[in-house]
Amino acid sequence: MWVSTFAGLVKFDGVKFIVYNVQSNKGLLSNISLKLLESADKILYTIDDAGRLLKFDGTRFHVLSKTISKIKVNSICSSTNGKLLVSTSKNEVFEVKGEDFNFILKVNQQNLLGLISSKNGDIYLKCSKGLFTYNDGLLTPVLEFDEMTVYDIKSDLDNNLWVSTSTGLYKVKDDETELVNVPDFSFKSDTKIFIDHRNTIWIYNDIGILYSAQSDFTQLNEEHGLSSTNIRVLFEDKEKNLWVGTNNNGLNKLRYKLFRCISQEDGLLADGVAPLLKLSDQTILAGNNCGGINRFIYGKIFKSKIPENNCVWSLMEDEKKNIWIGTYGGGLYIYNSDKEIYRFDRRNNFPAESVFALLSDKNNNVWVGTDIGLFIINKNNYAVTKFKSEIFNSKINYFLLDSKNIIWVGTNNGLYKISGTEIEAFNTYNGLPSNTIRTIFEDADENIWIGTVGGGLCRFKNNQLHLYSNLINVLGPDIFCLTLDDEDRFWITSNKGMYEVSRKELIEHAGNQQVSLNFNFYGRRDGLKTNEFNSGFQPNVLNETDKQIWFPTIKGVAILNKYRYTKNEYTPEIFIERILVDNEEKISDSTLSLSRDVKSLEFFFTAPRFHQPDKVFFEFKLEGLNNEWSPATNSRFARFATIKPGNYFLKCDCFQNQKQKRKLKFLYQFLSGKEQWFIVSTYAGFILLLSLLMYLRIRHVRKEK
């Protein structure tokens, strides 16, 4: 990403800034750049404050000679068919081809302020008396008033044209023009428009910035984190990050916060939330692990300091709309409309004090997971039965009733599968990565996913266990919750944050660890108040709608808003920035030839990425010297010593978060020392031999004649 400043042009790859100015780059004649554009053929152009047009060849800037004295450029745009057009201070429009400027037209009787290319291919001319389109040599008015000056135009995803002018903001659709109401905003000569990938309309100038996703405009200011409201430019990169450039107050990156968090400071009884449950009447319950129950009704919070022991760790609603409440230290309760109707304790054969999991089966029973084992309670007469105490004698954390009516039980002593009267145990002795199970999930293909403490993620399919132990360095060893969204992507919580990954990729990866996995990580920068999700038991997640998912945390409830979600599948390209041969810098594109032995060879490379750039890792190898890939590192530097004569290839690969499938991202060849002379000598010898054979053949033919 290139940024223009008063101190020069700056190239940014997400990690470091490289400054190009008149001191470091002889091609630049000024440090002030007014316009930046990448043309259709991937050449960077810039206009400086003297109206000179320059282009960048990858190493240095070069001034187009005609703009030094004859032509003063004030605007530049690239049409959809690849033409590069510029406007000048003399109200002229030229097409730029190489070093040539081909005249197209001149605007008379008003000032030409600039050119803009729309998404549908139209070229617009901003003029002092209106807006015009140019097509096949003809100017057609779009907005034309004697007292109106056009400042900026943009087209949105619905093909509406938005125009900022001296008289306000206009929306143009076909032949209809609408003046848009923008309260508390002054339209000045520097008022610009920007439209992002969500079709949000942004307007800004040196006194403020507003945005509109629906109809009304909302102001953005320092209270939202901006360094200044004196805005010069907005830009959206390939990863859908929105950048805001200010006047003398630096560069800002705007992020849509995916999560809305509600904690004690927002009205909850306490911070730590364990179970989440949506009732049949659409009320949402959030149990505080010490505090009581919070009811969410139409967005409002109603507090209930129930039951008597208000450390709520599990919740369930039965067919009679009774709420079963499992507590920590106070046993099990049944409530209806905030009234206690039954309590299970030692008096009715229920000795457990802490209840972590609840499940209603198809036989009118409630399965209760406690700190001392498993109990079954009949919902009609509340009779309590201790179930298989010789097997279930440890803490029960989670239940799952799958699509085959099989009950899975997650405990601190392994995973159990109960099918009728048969019980099958899984633990570390028969392949499970950990005996502590915190969550169990079944997908639509009858895969059973298990989140463990200490062993990461694993999966059962057709009674076969698939481990993901190699993902522990990404997800961490502790998995507290996993759920699928409407796009078949897993959201996985840990005590280090939240991760998102494709379910399909995870399944394919189990059979072939070369399959690429693309994880997205979410933390405080995405709206979370904490990265720790280890407070939830059952139910430990709530898929309220396709686009709203609730998660319990130690700092309240975290609500995922999928409407703000942007899938980031951008793969960065690797670039070689510098090459040092025995501390001497070399310039080359893809092949480097050296005429001597090399004691030290250094490559400096990068892969521009702006979302979590610190999680971009590299591997490299120099084929011919060492065929083994280097260990993964986020360092962007490779050094090789004592290069003997030979033919070598530098190969470099990059990945983010986790890498299973190696894709060649970069190939660089160079010849060193005697090997180069050998190739040259061989080639020359071949030419001499061929010449000798031709000479002998001609001599023989002449003798025959």
Side-chain angles (χ1 to χ4, degrees):
M1 181 170 70
W2 289 83
V3 183
S4 64
T5 73
F6 290 127
L9 285 165
V10 180
K11 186 169 66 173
F12 180 49
D13 64 358
V15 175
K16 65 180 181 298
F17 295 90
I18 299 176
V19 179
Y20 294 79
N21 53 33
V22 294
Q23 290 77 27
S24 63
N25 196 291
K26 295 181 179 179
L28 289 173
L29 301 179
S30 171
N31 284 338
I32 300 176
S33 175
L34 302 179
K35 305 285 184 181
L36 286 169
L37 176 77
E38 184 184 39
S39 64
D41 53 357
K42 306 299 181 182
I43 296 176
L44 178 69
Y45 287 87
T46 180
I47 303 172
D48 67 16
D49 56 343
R52 294 179 289 251
L53 182 64
L54 301 89
K55 63 180 180 179
F56 185 64
D57 63 6
T59 304
R60 59 177 295 165
F61 286 88
H62 164 70
V63 182
L64 275 67
S65 58
K66 289 188 178 179
T67 63
I68 295 178
S69 57
K70 296 182 179 179
I71 298 175
K72 302 299 180 185
V73 177
N74 60 16
S75 180
I76 183 171
C77 77
S78 181
S79 65
T80 53
N81 59 6
K83 292 183 178 180
L84 188 67
L85 304 177
V86 297
S87 63
T88 73
S89 58
K90 295 182 178 180
N91 301 327
E92 300 165 318
V93 177
F94 293 88
E95 179 184 355
V96 180
K97 288 185 176 181
E99 294 284 330
D100 296 328
F101 285 70
N102 299 325
F103 178 80
I104 294 179
L105 63 89
K106 182 173 182 178
V107 175
N108 297 312
Q109 298 180 348
Q110 57 181 311
N111 294 325
L112 175 58
L113 305 176
L115 303 173
I116 295 178
S117 175
S118 71
K119 296 177 182 178
N120 59 12
D122 292 331
I123 301 296
Y124 289 91
L125 280 70
K126 299 186 298 179
C127 297
S128 57
K129 294 184 179 180
L131 177 67
F132 301 84
T133 59
Y134 171 76
N135 192 7
D136 295 330
L138 297 176
L139 283 179
T140 303
V142 177
L143 288 172
E144 190 174 14
F145 300 103
D146 288 340
E147 302 299 326
M148 184 180 72
T149 301
V150 175
Y151 299 146
D152 197 17
I153 62 169
K154 290 291 186 298
S155 57
D156 65 19
L157 301 181
D158 300 321
N159 292 321
N160 298 308
L161 191 67
W162 295 81
V163 188
S164 70
T165 74
S166 55
T167 59
L169 180 67
Y170 290 86
K171 179 181 176 182
V172 181
K173 178 68 173 180
D174 299 327
D175 294 330
E176 297 182 2
T177 300
E178 173 190 354
L179 179 62
V180 180
N181 180 34
V182 184
D184 302 323
F185 190 81
S186 176
F187 283 83
K188 304 171 62 179
S189 60
D190 62 344
T191 301
K192 299 290 192 301
I193 302 172
F194 183 82
I195 301 175
D196 65 23
H197 73 283
R198 301 174 186 273
N199 215 28
T200 301
I201 314 300
W202 299 77
I203 56 174
Y204 58 94
N205 55 28
D206 62 357
I207 60 172
I209 178 170
L210 303 174
Y211 67 94
S212 172
Q214 300 294 330
S215 55
D216 297 332
F217 279 88
T218 303
Q219 188 178 47
L220 203 65
N221 53 39
E222 289 91 341
E223 293 181 359
H224 300 93
L226 279 181
S227 60
S228 170
T229 54
N230 188 340
I231 311 300
R232 295 297 298 266
V233 65
L234 264 68
F235 172 74
E236 190 172 56
D237 63 34
K238 294 178 181 179
E239 301 172 53
K240 307 297 188 294
N241 297 303
L242 191 62
W243 299 83
V244 181
T246 68
N247 188 15
N248 292 324
N249 277 282
L251 183 64
N252 301 260
K253 185 172 79 168
L254 299 185
R255 292 175 60 88
Y256 284 102
K257 291 186 176 181
L258 285 180
F259 296 91
R260 179 170 66 95
C261 291
I262 305 172
S263 61
Q264 187 173 12
E265 64 183 4
D266 304 303
L268 293 187
L269 286 163
D271 276 335
V273 174
L276 291 165
L277 178 67
K278 187 174 185 178
L279 303 179
S280 54
D281 64 1
Q282 307 305 305
T283 298
I284 293 176
L285 304 184
N288 284 122
N289 50 24
C290 274
I293 294 178
N294 305 274
R295 296 177 180 268
F296 291 83
I297 303 175
Y298 298 113
K300 295 183 178 180
I301 302 173
F302 298 88
K303 304 173 185 179
S304 300
K305 292 185 178 182
I306 58 169
E308 180 182 347
N309 178 307
N310 55 22
C311 294
V312 179
W313 287 64
S314 55
L315 290 168
M316 188 198 76
E317 183 183 28
D318 64 19
E319 298 83 355
K320 297 178 182 179
K321 299 184 180 180
N322 295 321
I323 310 301
W324 295 60
I325 305 172
T327 71
Y328 184 84
L332 177 64
Y333 298 79
I334 301 178
Y335 271 73
N336 191 299
S337 300
D338 283 351
K339 294 181 180 180
E340 180 183 320
I341 61 175
Y342 202 86
R343 178 179 180 180
F344 296 90
D345 53 25
R346 294 181 183 275
R347 292 172 297 179
N348 45 33
N349 200 30
F350 190 80
E353 294 184 348
S354 299
V355 177
F356 303 104
L358 293 166
L359 172 71
S360 179
D361 67 13
K362 296 181 180 180
N363 298 318
N364 208 33
N365 295 317
V366 174
W367 294 61
V368 184
T370 76
D371 54 335
I372 60 172
L374 177 56
F375 295 83
I376 296 178
I377 299 176
N378 184 285
K379 283 188 279 188
N380 291 328
N381 56 21
Y382 299 150
V384 179
T385 303
K386 186 79 162 32
F387 182 77
K388 300 290 183 182
S389 58
E390 71 278 9
I391 299 176
F392 298 99
N393 52 21
S394 66
K395 181 181 174 183
I396 310 297
N397 297 317
Y398 209 87
F399 293 118
L400 171 70
L401 179 64
D402 71 13
S403 56
K404 297 178 180 178
N405 206 32
I406 295 171
I407 294 177
W408 297 79
V409 185
T411 78
N412 275 8
N413 196 33
L415 178 70
Y416 294 86
K417 178 182 176 184
I418 304 174
S419 180
T421 59
E422 296 182 2
I423 300 177
E424 189 174 359
F426 304 92
N427 49 46
T428 54
Y429 292 105
N430 52 16
L432 209 63
S434 169
N435 283 338
T436 304
I437 312 300
R438 278 299 299 265
T439 188
I440 314 170
F441 181 86
E442 182 186 25
D443 65 24
D445 297 325
E446 299 180 353
N447 292 287
I448 305 297
W449 300 82
I450 301 102
T452 74
V453 174
L457 182 67
C458 55
R459 176 175 62 94
F460 272 100
K461 178 66 175 178
N462 299 327
N463 228 34
Q464 289 187 340
L465 180 64
H466 302 275
L467 302 181
Y468 293 90
S469 55
N470 61 320
L471 302 184
I472 287 179
N473 63 331
V474 178
L475 300 173
D478 305 331
I479 306 296
F480 297 111
C481 164
L482 62 157
T483 188
L484 281 173
D485 65 14
D486 59 329
E487 297 182 64
D488 202 32
R489 299 185 68 84
F490 268 119
W491 294 79
I492 303 171
T493 66
S494 69
N495 58 4
K496 295 182 178 179
M498 183 178 295
Y499 293 84
E500 169 220 353
V501 66
S502 164
R503 182 185 74 98
K504 180 181 177 182
E505 288 181 4
L506 278 175
I507 293 174
E508 291 175 349
H509 170 74
N512 178 11
Q513 292 195 3
Q514 296 301 310
V515 172
S516 177
L517 289 175
N518 297 300
F519 287 94
N520 288 319
F521 170 79
Y522 301 95
R524 293 176 182 271
R525 293 182 300 176
D526 302 286
L528 293 174
K529 291 186 176 181
T530 178
N531 286 347
E532 295 189 46
F533 290 82
N534 53 352
S535 65
F537 279 90
Q538 190 164 16
N540 59 8
V541 66
L542 171 61
N543 290 60
E544 183 190 5
T545 67
D546 288 342
K547 301 295 184 182
Q548 297 267 3
I549 305 177
W550 295 48
F551 298 91
T553 80
I554 66 170
K555 286 287 290 182
V557 177
I559 306 172
L560 169 65
N561 183 358
K562 282 293 300 296
Y563 290 104
R564 291 188 169 187
Y565 169 78
T566 299
K567 189 181 297 184
N568 190 348
E569 296 180 339
Y570 174 74
T571 301
E573 183 179 353
I574 299 176
F575 298 95
I576 294 290
E577 295 185 312
R578 295 177 67 202
I579 303 173
L580 293 181
V581 179
D582 292 337
N583 295 321
E584 181 183 350
E585 186 157 357
K586 298 291 183 181
I587 298 175
S588 180
D589 48 9
S590 61
T591 302
L592 178 66
S593 297
L594 305 174
S595 59
R596 53 183 171 81
D597 293 352
V598 176
K599 295 180 181 179
S600 173
L601 179 65
E602 298 170 279
F603 290 92
F604 297 83
F605 48 82
T606 189
R609 188 175 175 94
F610 305 110
H611 179 64
Q612 300 175 352
D614 56 320
K615 294 186 181 295
V616 176
F617 293 89
F618 298 88
E619 292 178 342
F620 53 83
K621 65 179 177 178
L622 189 61
E623 285 191 349
L625 179 67
N626 187 352
N627 291 328
E628 295 296 325
W629 289 90
S630 69
T633 176
N634 54 13
S635 173
R636 305 183 179 211
F637 163 79
R639 184 179 185 275
F640 306 95
T642 313
I643 309 298
K644 296 179 180 180
N647 191 7
Y648 300 90
F649 290 91
L650 174 69
K651 293 185 177 180
C652 189
D653 194 9
C654 71
F655 56 95
Q656 187 159 18
N657 290 325
Q658 178 69 15
K659 173 182 178 302
Q660 275 71 42
K661 183 177 180 181
R662 178 170 287 111
K663 296 179 181 178
L664 182 62
K665 300 294 184 186
F666 186 83
L667 177 64
Y668 195 95
Q669 180 185 18
F670 72 94
L671 311 176
S672 175
K674 298 176 183 178
E675 179 70 12
Q676 183 189 9
W677 287 108
F678 174 77
I679 293 175
V680 173
S681 301
T682 302
Y683 180 75
F686 177 75
I687 297 297
L688 289 173
L689 179 60
L690 184 62
S691 300
L692 179 60
L693 291 174
M694 292 180 64
Y695 169 75
L696 293 174
R697 174 62 180 165
I698 293 171
R699 183 178 177 183
H700 176 72
V701 171
R702 287 178 176 175
K703 281 186 177 182
E704 287 184 346
K705 288 183 178 181

